[in-house]
């Protein structure tokens, strides 16, 4: 049923709860896990030149060391936990609009299931879903499992 599971992560606590679900499913189905971090170029537009934005969009971080380190730490957190459990894992970091990059990756890599958090780093809970998750749901035709860190029968 599931051979390739995509876990987009922004390195947040809620994404971590989603990672747990993704790894459990991967173990059960013998699936490969793909960990994806997207440098949000819209959020960084003000501090970056267009040349840097273009480079980020093609996955080249150049001398943007801090950006690269944050990206690598986010996917490595998934990869480390996957490998501990004997699950095959692919790490990928790129730049762009997160929901577009996530939907494109799912198409390009023939992903069977996307597992992501209901919220992320901003942690603002006035909405049921964060904007990245909401936009992914509106952008992709692939199955998406949304995991809420407060969803385990606990009141909000
Ligand atoms: P908002 O960003 O709208 O202020 P938020 O940060 O709480 O709200 P989202 O950004 O939608 O919520 O995050 C929800 C989930 O989307 C995360 O748990 C993660 O799975 C995924 N995600 C968010 N941002 C990224 C990103 N830059 N790269 C990869 N995955 C991401
Ligand atoms: Mn966010």
């Amino acid at each position: 049923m599931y051979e390739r599971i995509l876990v987009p992560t922004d390195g947040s606590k809620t994404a971590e709860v989603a990672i747990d679900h993704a790894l459990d499913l991967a173990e059960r189905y013998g699936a490969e896990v793909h960990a994806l971090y997207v440098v949000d170029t819209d959020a960084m537009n003000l501090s970056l030149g267009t040349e840097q934005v273009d480079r980020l969009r093609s996955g080249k971080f150049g001398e943007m060391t801090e950006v690269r380190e944050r990206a690598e730490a986010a996917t490595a957190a998934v990869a480390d936990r996957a490998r501990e459990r004997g699950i095959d894992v692919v790490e990928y970091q790129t730049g762009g609009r997160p929901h577009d990059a996530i939907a494109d990756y799912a198409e390009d890599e023939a992903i069977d299931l996307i597992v992501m958090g209901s919220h992320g780093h901003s942690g603002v809970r006035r909405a049921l879903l964060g904007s990245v998750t909401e936009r992914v749901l509106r952008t992709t035709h692939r199955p998406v499992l949304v995991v809420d860190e407060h969803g385990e029968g606990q009141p909000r």
Side-chain angles (χ1 to χ4, degrees), residues 96-140:
R97 305 183 76 197
H99 69 282
D100 283 333
I102 291 164
D104 287 349
Y105 188 94
E107 281 312 306
D108 294 346
E109 298 296 321
I111 293 296
D112 304 298
L113 176 68
I114 303 170
V115 182
M116 59 196 301
S118 59
H119 295 83
H121 257 313
S122 95
V124 181
R125 285 210 158 249
R126 37 166 212 274
L128 179 62
L129 295 176
S131 64
V132 174
T133 294
E134 186 175 344
R135 288 174 184 155
V136 167
L137 291 170
R138 291 179 193 278
T139 308
T140 187

Side-chain angles (χ1 to χ4, degrees), residues 13-28:
K13 168 86 203 308
T14 312
E16 229 170 83
V17 179
I19 292 164
D20 282 338
H21 280 249
L23 295 180
D24 279 354
L25 285 167
E27 208 162 48
R28 180 161 304 216

